[in-house]
Short mmCIF file of all heavy atoms in Angstrom, two decimals:
data_model
loop_
_atom_site.label_atom_id
_atom_site.label_comp_id
_atom_site.label_asym_id
_atom_site.label_seq_id
_atom_site.Cartn_x
_atom_site.Cartn_y
_atom_site.Cartn_z
N ASP O 32 -11.81 9.68 170.93
CA ASP O 32 -11.83 9.71 172.40
C ASP O 32 -13.19 9.23 172.89
O ASP O 32 -14.06 8.90 172.11
CB ASP O 32 -11.47 11.09 172.94
CG ASP O 32 -12.54 12.12 172.71
OD1 ASP O 32 -13.71 11.76 172.44
OD2 ASP O 32 -12.25 13.31 172.81
N ARG O 40 -14.54 3.59 177.44
CA ARG O 40 -14.91 4.72 178.30
C ARG O 40 -13.77 5.23 179.16
O ARG O 40 -13.75 6.41 179.49
CB ARG O 40 -16.05 4.29 179.22
CG ARG O 40 -17.26 3.84 178.48
CD ARG O 40 -18.52 4.25 179.20
NE ARG O 40 -19.69 3.78 178.47
CZ ARG O 40 -20.20 4.39 177.41
NH1 ARG O 40 -19.67 5.51 176.97
NH2 ARG O 40 -21.25 3.90 176.80
N LYS O 97 -21.93 8.84 149.27
CA LYS O 97 -22.93 9.22 150.28
C LYS O 97 -23.23 8.09 151.22
O LYS O 97 -23.67 8.32 152.34
CB LYS O 97 -24.22 9.68 149.60
CG LYS O 97 -24.98 8.54 148.95
CD LYS O 97 -26.47 8.76 148.79
CE LYS O 97 -27.07 7.51 148.15
NZ LYS O 97 -28.50 7.45 148.14
N THR O 122 -20.75 19.46 149.57
CA THR O 122 -20.07 19.16 150.84
C THR O 122 -19.46 17.77 150.79
O THR O 122 -18.32 17.56 151.23
CB THR O 122 -21.05 19.25 152.02
OG1 THR O 122 -21.62 20.56 152.08
CG2 THR O 122 -20.35 18.96 153.34
N ASN O 139 -26.43 14.73 141.04
CA ASN O 139 -27.49 15.62 141.48
C ASN O 139 -27.41 16.91 140.69
O ASN O 139 -26.35 17.25 140.17
CB ASN O 139 -27.30 15.94 142.98
CG ASN O 139 -28.58 15.72 143.76
OD1 ASN O 139 -29.67 15.75 143.20
ND2 ASN O 139 -28.44 15.50 145.05
N ASP O 146 -23.03 26.46 145.83
CA ASP O 146 -22.53 25.17 145.33
C ASP O 146 -21.67 25.36 144.09
O ASP O 146 -20.63 24.70 143.93
CB ASP O 146 -23.70 24.23 145.05
CG ASP O 146 -24.34 23.72 146.34
OD1 ASP O 146 -23.71 23.88 147.41
OD2 ASP O 146 -25.44 23.17 146.27
N ASP O 167 -30.90 19.04 134.36
CA ASP O 167 -32.15 18.44 133.89
C ASP O 167 -33.21 19.46 133.52
O ASP O 167 -34.37 19.08 133.30
CB ASP O 167 -32.68 17.40 134.88
CG ASP O 167 -33.34 18.02 136.10
OD1 ASP O 167 -33.22 19.24 136.31
OD2 ASP O 167 -34.00 17.27 136.85
N ASN O 198 -43.45 9.93 136.90
CA ASN O 198 -43.68 9.51 138.28
C ASN O 198 -42.37 9.19 138.99
O ASN O 198 -42.31 8.33 139.86
CB ASN O 198 -44.62 8.29 138.35
CG ASN O 198 -45.95 8.58 137.70
OD1 ASN O 198 -46.57 9.59 138.01
ND2 ASN O 198 -46.35 7.74 136.76
N ARG O 200 -38.23 11.09 139.90
CA ARG O 200 -37.61 12.08 140.77
C ARG O 200 -37.08 13.19 139.89
O ARG O 200 -37.85 13.96 139.35
CB ARG O 200 -36.50 11.38 141.58
CG ARG O 200 -35.94 12.22 142.69
CD ARG O 200 -35.11 11.37 143.66
NE ARG O 200 -33.86 10.90 143.05
CZ ARG O 200 -33.02 10.04 143.63
NH1 ARG O 200 -33.31 9.55 144.82
NH2 ARG O 200 -31.91 9.67 143.04
N ARG O 204 -37.93 14.36 131.27
CA ARG O 204 -38.91 13.30 131.06
C ARG O 204 -38.99 12.84 129.61
O ARG O 204 -39.48 11.75 129.33
CB ARG O 204 -40.30 13.76 131.54
CG ARG O 204 -40.40 14.08 133.03
CD ARG O 204 -39.93 12.93 133.91
NE ARG O 204 -40.39 13.03 135.30
CZ ARG O 204 -39.62 13.34 136.34
NH1 ARG O 204 -38.33 13.60 136.17
NH2 ARG O 204 -40.13 13.38 137.56
N GLN O 233 -35.06 3.50 141.35
CA GLN O 233 -36.42 3.67 141.86
C GLN O 233 -37.43 2.79 141.15
O GLN O 233 -38.54 2.60 141.63
CB GLN O 233 -36.83 5.13 141.72
CG GLN O 233 -36.05 6.00 142.69
CD GLN O 233 -36.70 7.34 142.87
OE1 GLN O 233 -36.99 8.02 141.88
NE2 GLN O 233 -36.96 7.72 144.09
N GLN O 343 -31.08 -4.81 178.08
CA GLN O 343 -31.11 -4.03 179.31
C GLN O 343 -32.29 -4.35 180.20
O GLN O 343 -32.26 -4.02 181.40
CB GLN O 343 -31.08 -2.54 179.00
CG GLN O 343 -32.34 -2.02 178.30
CD GLN O 343 -32.28 -0.51 178.08
OE1 GLN O 343 -31.82 -0.06 177.04
NE2 GLN O 343 -32.72 0.27 179.05
N SER O 344 -33.34 -4.97 179.67
CA SER O 344 -34.55 -5.16 180.47
C SER O 344 -35.42 -6.24 179.84
O SER O 344 -35.63 -6.23 178.62
CB SER O 344 -35.32 -3.83 180.54
OG SER O 344 -36.48 -3.94 181.31
N GLU O 347 -41.26 -8.43 180.44
CA GLU O 347 -42.51 -9.02 179.93
C GLU O 347 -42.13 -10.29 179.21
O GLU O 347 -41.05 -10.37 178.61
CB GLU O 347 -43.20 -8.07 178.93
CG GLU O 347 -44.15 -7.11 179.56
CD GLU O 347 -44.83 -6.20 178.54
OE1 GLU O 347 -45.13 -6.63 177.41
OE2 GLU O 347 -45.04 -5.03 178.89
N LYS O 357 -33.11 4.30 167.28
CA LYS O 357 -33.07 5.04 166.02
C LYS O 357 -31.78 5.84 165.88
O LYS O 357 -31.46 6.27 164.78
CB LYS O 357 -34.23 6.03 165.96
CG LYS O 357 -35.60 5.42 165.89
CD LYS O 357 -36.65 6.55 165.86
CE LYS O 357 -38.06 6.03 166.07
NZ LYS O 357 -39.03 7.15 166.20
N ARG O 358 -31.08 6.06 166.97
CA ARG O 358 -29.81 6.79 166.92
C ARG O 358 -28.67 5.91 166.47
O ARG O 358 -27.56 6.40 166.22
CB ARG O 358 -29.49 7.34 168.31
CG ARG O 358 -29.64 8.81 168.45
CD ARG O 358 -31.07 9.26 168.30
NE ARG O 358 -31.20 10.70 168.28
CZ ARG O 358 -31.22 11.47 169.36
NH1 ARG O 358 -31.15 10.93 170.54
NH2 ARG O 358 -31.34 12.78 169.25
N ASP O 363 -35.39 2.93 158.19
CA ASP O 363 -36.24 3.56 157.18
C ASP O 363 -36.79 2.58 156.16
O ASP O 363 -37.88 2.79 155.63
CB ASP O 363 -35.49 4.69 156.47
CG ASP O 363 -34.18 4.24 155.84
OD1 ASP O 363 -33.50 3.40 156.45
OD2 ASP O 363 -33.85 4.73 154.76
N TYR O 398 -37.09 -3.06 170.55
CA TYR O 398 -38.03 -4.05 171.09
C TYR O 398 -37.81 -5.37 170.38
O TYR O 398 -38.13 -5.51 169.20
CB TYR O 398 -39.48 -3.58 170.86
CG TYR O 398 -39.84 -2.32 171.61
CD1 TYR O 398 -39.31 -1.09 171.25
CD2 TYR O 398 -40.74 -2.36 172.69
CE1 TYR O 398 -39.64 0.06 171.94
CE2 TYR O 398 -41.07 -1.21 173.38
CZ TYR O 398 -40.51 0.00 173.00
OH TYR O 398 -40.82 1.15 173.69
N CYS O 424 -26.82 3.26 154.07
CA CYS O 424 -26.71 4.74 154.08
C CYS O 424 -27.22 5.34 155.38
O CYS O 424 -26.66 6.30 155.89
CB CYS O 424 -27.49 5.34 152.91
SG CYS O 424 -26.97 4.75 151.29
N PHE O 450 -20.20 12.96 157.93
CA PHE O 450 -21.48 13.44 157.39
C PHE O 450 -21.69 14.91 157.69
O PHE O 450 -21.09 15.43 158.59
CB PHE O 450 -22.63 12.60 157.98
CG PHE O 450 -22.72 11.26 157.33
CD1 PHE O 450 -22.10 10.16 157.90
CD2 PHE O 450 -23.38 11.10 156.13
CE1 PHE O 450 -22.16 8.91 157.30
CE2 PHE O 450 -23.44 9.86 155.52
CZ PHE O 450 -22.83 8.76 156.12
N LEU Y 17 -11.19 15.67 173.70
CA LEU Y 17 -11.65 16.57 172.63
C LEU Y 17 -12.77 17.48 173.13
O LEU Y 17 -12.95 18.58 172.61
CB LEU Y 17 -12.19 15.75 171.45
CG LEU Y 17 -11.15 15.19 170.48
CD1 LEU Y 17 -11.85 14.50 169.34
CD2 LEU Y 17 -10.28 16.32 169.94
N ARG Y 35 -18.96 27.63 151.69
CA ARG Y 35 -18.05 26.75 150.96
C ARG Y 35 -16.68 27.34 150.70
O ARG Y 35 -15.71 26.61 150.60
CB ARG Y 35 -18.66 26.39 149.61
CG ARG Y 35 -19.99 25.72 149.71
CD ARG Y 35 -20.16 24.66 148.67
NE ARG Y 35 -21.47 24.04 148.80
CZ ARG Y 35 -21.76 23.07 149.65
NH1 ARG Y 35 -20.83 22.59 150.47
NH2 ARG Y 35 -22.97 22.55 149.71
N LYS Y 92 -30.48 14.01 175.28
CA LYS Y 92 -30.42 13.21 174.05
C LYS Y 92 -31.05 13.94 172.87
O LYS Y 92 -30.71 13.67 171.73
CB LYS Y 92 -31.13 11.87 174.23
CG LYS Y 92 -32.64 12.01 174.34
CD LYS Y 92 -33.43 10.78 173.96
CE LYS Y 92 -34.91 11.10 174.09
NZ LYS Y 92 -35.79 10.12 173.50
N THR Y 117 -22.17 7.58 177.27
CA THR Y 117 -21.49 8.48 176.33
C THR Y 117 -22.13 9.87 176.36
O THR Y 117 -21.44 10.89 176.38
CB THR Y 117 -21.55 7.93 174.88
OG1 THR Y 117 -20.95 6.64 174.85
CG2 THR Y 117 -20.83 8.84 173.91
N ASN Y 134 -32.19 5.39 182.00
CA ASN Y 134 -32.02 4.11 181.34
C ASN Y 134 -31.36 3.13 182.31
O ASN Y 134 -30.71 3.56 183.26
CB ASN Y 134 -31.12 4.28 180.10
CG ASN Y 134 -31.73 3.66 178.87
OD1 ASN Y 134 -32.57 2.76 178.96
ND2 ASN Y 134 -31.32 4.13 177.71
N ASP Y 141 -20.05 0.53 180.97
CA ASP Y 141 -20.85 1.68 181.39
C ASP Y 141 -20.69 1.95 182.89
O ASP Y 141 -20.60 3.12 183.31
CB ASP Y 141 -22.33 1.44 181.04
CG ASP Y 141 -22.57 1.57 179.55
OD1 ASP Y 141 -21.69 2.09 178.84
OD2 ASP Y 141 -23.65 1.15 179.08
N ASP Y 162 -34.39 -1.86 187.06
CA ASP Y 162 -35.74 -2.41 186.91
C ASP Y 162 -35.78 -3.93 187.01
O ASP Y 162 -36.81 -4.52 186.70
CB ASP Y 162 -36.41 -1.92 185.63
CG ASP Y 162 -35.89 -2.60 184.36
OD1 ASP Y 162 -34.87 -3.30 184.43
OD2 ASP Y 162 -36.53 -2.42 183.30
N ASN Y 193 -47.32 -4.01 178.36
CA ASN Y 193 -47.23 -3.64 176.95
C ASN Y 193 -46.39 -2.38 176.76
O ASN Y 193 -46.65 -1.60 175.84
CB ASN Y 193 -48.62 -3.45 176.33
CG ASN Y 193 -49.46 -4.69 176.47
OD1 ASN Y 193 -49.01 -5.78 176.13
ND2 ASN Y 193 -50.67 -4.56 177.01
N ARG Y 199 -43.06 -4.11 186.35
CA ARG Y 199 -44.48 -4.11 185.99
C ARG Y 199 -45.41 -4.10 187.20
O ARG Y 199 -46.58 -3.74 187.07
CB ARG Y 199 -44.80 -5.33 185.11
CG ARG Y 199 -44.06 -5.38 183.76
CD ARG Y 199 -44.25 -4.12 182.95
NE ARG Y 199 -43.92 -4.28 181.53
CZ ARG Y 199 -42.85 -3.77 180.94
NH1 ARG Y 199 -41.97 -3.05 181.63
NH2 ARG Y 199 -42.65 -3.95 179.65
N GLN Y 228 -45.11 7.07 176.45
CA GLN Y 228 -45.61 6.07 175.50
C GLN Y 228 -47.11 5.85 175.61
O GLN Y 228 -47.71 5.26 174.71
CB GLN Y 228 -44.87 4.75 175.72
CG GLN Y 228 -43.42 4.87 175.31
CD GLN Y 228 -42.80 3.51 175.14
OE1 GLN Y 228 -42.86 2.69 176.03
NE2 GLN Y 228 -42.21 3.28 173.98
N GLN Y 338 -34.48 21.87 143.28
CA GLN Y 338 -33.46 21.52 142.28
C GLN Y 338 -34.05 21.06 140.96
O GLN Y 338 -33.34 21.06 139.95
CB GLN Y 338 -32.52 20.45 142.83
CG GLN Y 338 -33.16 19.09 143.05
CD GLN Y 338 -32.16 18.06 143.57
OE1 GLN Y 338 -31.98 17.91 144.76
NE2 GLN Y 338 -31.52 17.37 142.65
N SER Y 339 -35.32 20.64 140.95
CA SER Y 339 -35.87 20.06 139.72
C SER Y 339 -37.39 20.09 139.79
O SER Y 339 -37.98 19.73 140.80
CB SER Y 339 -35.37 18.61 139.60
OG SER Y 339 -35.85 18.00 138.42
N GLU Y 342 -42.19 17.57 136.61
CA GLU Y 342 -43.55 17.02 136.49
C GLU Y 342 -44.50 18.04 137.08
O GLU Y 342 -44.14 18.74 138.03
CB GLU Y 342 -43.69 15.71 137.29
CG GLU Y 342 -43.33 14.48 136.51
CD GLU Y 342 -43.45 13.20 137.33
OE1 GLU Y 342 -44.38 13.10 138.17
OE2 GLU Y 342 -42.62 12.32 137.14
N LYS Y 352 -33.39 12.32 153.85
CA LYS Y 352 -33.33 11.63 155.15
C LYS Y 352 -32.06 11.96 155.91
O LYS Y 352 -31.99 11.70 157.11
CB LYS Y 352 -33.35 10.11 154.91
CG LYS Y 352 -34.61 9.55 154.33
CD LYS Y 352 -34.45 8.04 154.14
CE LYS Y 352 -35.60 7.45 153.35
NZ LYS Y 352 -35.34 6.01 153.02
N ARG Y 353 -31.07 12.49 155.21
CA ARG Y 353 -29.82 12.86 155.89
C ARG Y 353 -29.94 14.21 156.58
O ARG Y 353 -29.03 14.61 157.31
CB ARG Y 353 -28.69 12.95 154.86
CG ARG Y 353 -27.70 11.84 154.93
CD ARG Y 353 -28.27 10.51 154.54
NE ARG Y 353 -27.34 9.42 154.73
CZ ARG Y 353 -26.40 9.07 153.87
NH1 ARG Y 353 -26.28 9.71 152.76
NH2 ARG Y 353 -25.59 8.06 154.13
N ASP Y 358 -39.23 10.10 160.98
CA ASP Y 358 -39.68 8.90 161.69
C ASP Y 358 -41.09 9.03 162.23
O ASP Y 358 -41.80 8.03 162.34
CB ASP Y 358 -38.70 8.53 162.81
CG ASP Y 358 -38.48 9.66 163.80
OD1 ASP Y 358 -38.44 10.83 163.37
OD2 ASP Y 358 -38.37 9.38 165.00
N ASN Y 388 -36.08 10.65 149.98
CA ASN Y 388 -34.98 9.71 149.76
C ASN Y 388 -33.81 10.17 150.63
O ASN Y 388 -33.95 11.12 151.40
CB ASN Y 388 -34.57 9.68 148.30
CG ASN Y 388 -35.66 9.18 147.36
OD1 ASN Y 388 -35.67 9.54 146.20
ND2 ASN Y 388 -36.58 8.35 147.85
N TYR Y 393 -39.71 15.13 148.10
CA TYR Y 393 -40.75 15.24 147.08
C TYR Y 393 -41.83 16.20 147.58
O TYR Y 393 -42.57 15.87 148.51
CB TYR Y 393 -41.38 13.87 146.81
CG TYR Y 393 -40.42 12.87 146.19
CD1 TYR Y 393 -39.36 12.34 146.94
CD2 TYR Y 393 -40.56 12.45 144.87
CE1 TYR Y 393 -38.47 11.43 146.38
CE2 TYR Y 393 -39.67 11.54 144.31
CZ TYR Y 393 -38.63 11.04 145.07
OH TYR Y 393 -37.75 10.14 144.51
N CYS Y 419 -35.48 15.21 168.06
CA CYS Y 419 -34.37 14.28 168.35
C CYS Y 419 -33.75 13.72 167.08
O CYS Y 419 -32.53 13.55 166.99
CB CYS Y 419 -34.86 13.11 169.20
SG CYS Y 419 -35.57 13.61 170.78
N HIS Y 426 -23.88 18.46 162.47
CA HIS Y 426 -22.78 18.66 163.41
C HIS Y 426 -22.84 20.05 164.03
O HIS Y 426 -22.26 20.30 165.08
CB HIS Y 426 -21.44 18.49 162.71
CG HIS Y 426 -21.16 17.09 162.31
ND1 HIS Y 426 -21.17 16.05 163.20
CD2 HIS Y 426 -20.90 16.54 161.10
CE1 HIS Y 426 -20.90 14.92 162.57
NE2 HIS Y 426 -20.74 15.19 161.29
#
Side-chain angles (χ1 to χ4, degrees):
Chain O
D32 71 18
R40 301 216 181 279
K97 70 155 181 170
T122 301
N139 230 337
D146 287 346
D167 76 349
N198 302 309
R200 190 166 70 187
R204 297 306 198 252
Q233 291 197 308
Q343 67 177 91
S344 181
E347 271 181 35
K357 294 179 192 174
R358 252 65 187 278
D363 56 323
Y398 295 70
C424 302
F450 284 95
Chain Y
L17 279 184
R35 302 217 180 277
K92 70 156 182 168
T117 301
N134 230 336
D141 287 346
D162 76 349
N193 302 310
R199 298 306 198 252
Q228 292 197 307
Q338 67 179 90
S339 181
E342 271 179 37
K352 294 179 189 172
R353 252 67 186 277
D358 57 323
N388 296 153
Y393 295 70
C419 301
H426 291 304

